[in-house]
Amino acid sequence: MSDAYAPLTDVLDRLGELTGRPGRLPEALDVADLSHRTGIPVGIVVELLSGGRAPETCLAGRVRQRLDFIRETRRRPDGKRYSLDELARIAGTSRQWLSVWRKSGMPSLEHADRLRRFFGLPAGFFTADEPEALHEALGPVLQELEAEADPLVRLRESGLVRLAARAPHMNARQLATLADLAEMIISAERTEIC
C-alpha cells in the first residue's frame, strides 16, 4: 500500500485484533458516525474499513465534496438545512463567494476555518485525503478499545506504573508526594460515585 494508507492500515490491524473482527470492522464500528465526523461518504468509509481504497480525488474535488457534505448532514437547531446564505455568513463571506468556492473547490483558509470551527470539525476536515481523515477519526476509537482491553495501558503510558514501582527507592518527601497524589485520585473517585 502507498504511504498514505500505511498509518490507516496499522490502525485497522490493531482495531481488528481488539474487536476480534479483522477484515470485518464495518460490523464492529459506527460507520455512520465515522462518516459524519470525517466528511467521507458511508460507502467509502466501509471500503476503507474493509482494507480497500478510496477513489482518487483532487484537492478541489475533495473540498467541494466536504462542503456539500456539511450542507447535507449538518442541521440548524430547528432541524432544517443551512441555506447557502447562512453558510456564507458563518464563513464570514458572501453567498457569491460561497458559490464560487463550491464550483472551484478552493476556499480561503480563513473562511474554511470559520466553517470548520463553527461545526466542530477536526483540523484538516476540508483537505485531508480519505485515508488520513479516517485514520485521525479512528484514533480515539482505538484508545477507547485499548483502555477496555487493558485498563492499565493509560497508566503505563503516563508513567504512573513505573513511578509506583520506584516507591521502595524513594525518600520520605517523594513518598509523601506520591501518597498525596494517590489520596487525591481516591477522593476524586469517591466524589464521582456519590
Side-chain angles (χ1 to χ4, degrees), residues 10-19 138-157:
D10 293 343
V11 168
L12 294 177
D13 289 345
R14 182 67 179 132
L15 286 169
E17 292 170 17
L18 291 168
T19 62
L138 288 172
V141 174
L142 179 60
Q143 287 178 340
E144 185 177 314
L145 287 173
E146 285 179 331
E148 288 174 15
D150 181 2
L152 296 179
V153 73
R154 290 188 66 197
L155 293 176
R156 278 194 293 280
E157 287 175 354

Side-chain angles (χ1 to χ4, degrees), residues 178-194:
L178 186 58
D180 289 343
L181 177 62
E183 185 57 38
M184 185 175 66
I185 292 169
I186 292 167
S187 295
E189 184 179 89
R190 282 188 205 130
T191 305
E192 289 176 11
I193 292 173
C194 295

Side-chain angles (χ1 to χ4, degrees), residues 10-39:
D10 293 343
V11 168
L12 294 177
D13 289 345
R14 182 67 179 132
L15 286 169
E17 292 170 17
L18 291 168
T19 62
R21 296 183 178 204
R24 296 187 349 253
L25 287 174
E27 301 166 13
L29 301 175
D30 187 342
V31 172
D33 179 61
L34 289 168
S35 172
H36 189 76
R37 289 190 291 132
T38 60

Side-chain angles (χ1 to χ4, degrees), residues 157-175:
E157 287 175 354
S158 68
L160 284 177
V161 171
R162 275 192 322 272
L163 184 62
R166 291 190 356 226
H169 308 289
M170 292 182 177
N171 64 37
R173 186 180 53 80
Q174 291 168 325
L175 282 172

Side-chain angles (χ1 to χ4, degrees), residues 49-71:
L49 289 175
S50 300
R53 293 176 143 318
E56 292 288 326
T57 57
C58 66
L59 177 61
R62 198 165 41 246
V63 170
R64 221 178 1 263
Q65 180 269 325
R66 303 264 169 89
L67 177 61
D68 289 340
F69 188 88
I70 286 174
R71 190 154 185 252

